Amino acid sequence: MARDYQLKRPASGGTSGIDYAAELNEQQYAAVSAPPGRSLVIAGAGSGKTRTLTYRVAYLLDQGVEPKNILLLTFTNKASKEMMDRVRSLVPQDVSDLWGGTFHSIGNRMLRRHADELGFTRSFSIMDRDDQKSLMNTVIAACEIDTQGKRFPKPDVLISIFSLVVNTNDTLEEIVEFRYPYFEEWLEEIRRVEKAYRKKKIQINSMDFDDLLVLTLQLLQKDSELLRLYRKKFRYILVDEYQDTNHVQCELIDLLVGEGQSLMVVGDDAQSIYSWRGADMGNILGFPERYADAEVYRIETNYRSVPEILSLSNAAIRANRKQFNKELKAARASGVTLPALVPVEDPTTQAQFVAQRILDFRDEEGIELEDIAILYRAHHQSLELQMELTSRGIPFQITSGLRFFEQVHIKDVGAFMRFVVNRKDEVSFKRMVMLLPGVGAKSADKLWAGWGASDLAKEEGVPKSFSETLLALPAPKKAQQQWEQLAHTMDELVVGGEFARPSDMIFSILEGVYDDYMRGSFDNYENRRQDIEQLMSYGQGFNDVLEFLAQLSLMSAVDGDPSGSRAEPDPEQVTLSSVHQAKGLEWKVVFVIWLTDGMFPNGRVLEADDEDMLEEERRLFYVAITRAMNELYMVYPQINPKSYTGDVIQRPSRFLDDCPAELMEEWRVGGSW
């Protein structure tokens, strides 16, 4: 006959002594003290989401839950560290056995114990992006794909395609058809590369970041006994930013939860803005259906913004059909001003208004530059603003990417133009020709030697034609078709014995050569094309290409200081950021610029006429305006001067239609410069 014997929990050094009801608001306390089971916590912007999660962990520990039985999943290392540090400051016991980290770090932890079940050893390497590109080049070469005459996607693009396949649950055919339609003719070859890439990773005992999720899921699906052990271990699972989970992460959570484990997911459907990288808002919207017994908690007290900004935010998001309805309420007292709606004449005036208002804040109202941000839908929309801030000596930092003139594709286009006006510019010539397939450093040296020996290279003045000389040079066979196109494109940069206007040059370079290069080389082709179109628009203000190139060089020197003597960065800087990069941050003053249809919401979304895509754009607008603590300025130019089509009348963003007039104050910007 068996004898029962009960283990007692060892003394932990006492409970935290936290008065949860006193330290949390009513809604936060309800979520933190929720009984075991399945819980969905809808935490609005600025409502204390991190506080709620960390107090939930402390509450579980105070209830006698062992740290080893808790799994806390986050999306960033920063969030994970912040939460774990807060937990340690709240509770007296040792929490080193608590598994807290990003999805990828937890996946790595499991795979280090069990990778041999998947054909890897436990000492597998984790490849970063450069490692992946190097391996992809090896795989492409081994597949012996004939790319003669047509550009095959570069490793960066293939990596993005394969990542989307595993993170969205779409097929390779669907990803190529809907996101990369210009590669449909290469579909069979891409499939071969994908298969060879997967096989090669096992051969070299290496995983990429996607594998850390996908293979963890496969491991648990394959080994039921192992799954049972982890389900027994993780009795309480908590997930941060649940609205950003993709299908793999969602499946992994559902699998670990099983029938009996407690699960609490925290997120805000109104801030779901990452579908383009695989996030599926259906995970959070469908949570109550997947877990029929789930309790839904709402946390709606906002500690960030004044009531005037929150009233506008609530109105702005109300138009979305697919959402959990909630109404953010301000914990703060009323502010001094309503959110400002600022129509201005054109993009230049927009930049001038923002810059002058920033100086007003700094010099007259005592607001530090670091407490001010300018947000935009796409990086290229910051061009005029960067120039205006630079000319006024206002220091700024950019979180949405490199400064405009530092970007590789802007420098590539500039190389064509520099070589046209300076036929002795070896650096620009080599940068230009090395964009072509099959042209490496040695080929570029040979082409330069041939060019240097030609009569045209030695002549002064504006050349009559480039193509006759260029076509006589020994271009590699693989680049022959593109070389011919390059030669004829260079001819277009000279018109009637004079250099073409800068905007016309950029158009010829883009349509003749560079667009094809970008399609095959960059995974964010559309964004880069928009950057060059913005450069083209900027070039409309110049008739002299030398003056235009001088301005580019001066801006690059300010941006990058090629002398290498860049001074220490100013600790007080205005922040320029895309809205995607700004999520989770806050500033006292926020300017949202380019609020016009086609810019925000994005033109591709409007062309697609897809309601789900438009709703995500509206959520992005909501994220933008909820970054503001005290003052919000929504700015849009009424006219946009565009190349070749003349001035275009801009329609204010349709998202502004959802904002009642009484919740905003319209500013009329006058004056002249």
Side-chain angles (χ1 to χ4, degrees), residues 67 180 539 556 633:
Y180 301 87
S556 294
Y633 293 82

Side-chain angles (χ1 to χ4, degrees), residues 273-292:
I273 57 174
Y274 296 114
S275 67
W276 49 275
R277 69 183 187 195
D280 185 355
M281 193 177 76
N283 294 341
I284 191 168
L285 292 181
F287 189 89
E289 283 71 46
R290 292 205 318 283
Y291 296 98

Side-chain angles (χ1 to χ4, degrees), residues 325-363:
N325 293 320
K326 57 184 173 298
E327 192 81 7
L328 292 183
K329 304 173 186 66
R332 296 180 57 195
S334 180
V336 293
T337 60
L338 290 172
L341 179 64
V342 191
V344 293
E345 182 178 353
D346 55 27
T348 299
T349 311
Q350 176 176 249
Q352 291 167 341
F353 166 76
V354 173
Q356 182 170 314
R357 193 75 189 99
I358 287 171
L359 292 176
D360 291 343
F361 281 121
R362 186 192 66 181
D363 300 335

Side-chain angles (χ1 to χ4, degrees), residues 127-140 152-167 172 175 180 183 190 193-194 197 201 207-211 277 520-524:
M127 299 185 293
D128 62 18
R129 189 79 172 195
D130 285 340
D131 297 329
Q132 283 183 273
K133 287 163 65 175
S134 177
L135 182 60
M136 197 70 74
N137 276 320
T138 301
V139 170
I140 293 170
F152 188 69
K154 286 198 170 181
D156 256 334
V157 180
L158 291 170
I159 290 166
S160 293
I161 290 173
F162 300 158
S163 180
L164 284 168
V165 169
V166 299
N167 285 309
L172 178 63
I175 294 296
Y180 301 87
F183 289 137
I190 292 173
V193 171
E194 181 190 31
Y197 176 62
K201 285 187 290 185
M207 298 184 191
D208 58 35
F209 280 97
D210 288 328
D211 291 329
R277 69 183 187 195
S521 302
F522 302 122
D523 60 345
N524 58 346

Side-chain angles (χ1 to χ4, degrees), residues 194 222 228 312 393 490 513 614 644:
E194 181 190 31
K222 172 185 175 183
R228 187 187 68 80
L312 184 75
M490 300 302 288
V513 180
L614 186 62
Y644 309 105

Side-chain angles (χ1 to χ4, degrees), residues 456-489:
L456 187 57
K458 300 168 185 174
E459 291 176 4
E460 296 295 328
V462 182
K464 293 181 180 178
S465 170
F466 281 90
S467 58
E468 185 177 342
T469 302
L470 289 172
L471 291 174
L473 298 181
K477 284 186 177 181
K478 189 175 183 180
Q480 199 60 50
Q481 181 178 334
Q482 288 87 350
W483 182 256
E484 291 176 7
Q485 183 60 55
L486 170 67
H488 295 303
T489 296

Side-chain angles (χ1 to χ4, degrees), residues 388-448:
E388 187 66 26
L389 295 177
T390 299
S391 69
R392 296 195 186 213
I394 301 173
F396 61 92
Q397 63 170 338
I398 297 181
T399 64
S400 56
L402 293 171
R403 296 190 177 208
F404 190 83
F405 296 104
E406 291 178 338
Q407 298 176 108
V408 64
H409 49 297
I410 300 299
K411 290 187 173 184
D412 286 345
V413 171
F416 285 82
M417 303 173 76
R418 288 188 169 89
F419 177 68
V420 166
V421 300
N422 176 14
R423 299 192 294 281
K424 296 180 181 179
D425 187 342
E426 180 179 354
V427 172
S428 292
F429 177 88
K430 288 183 176 178
R431 181 174 191 131
M432 177 178 71
V433 301
M434 287 177 69
L435 298 174
L436 305 185
V439 179
K442 290 184 179 179
S443 299
D445 286 341
K446 290 180 182 178
L447 290 167
W448 175 250

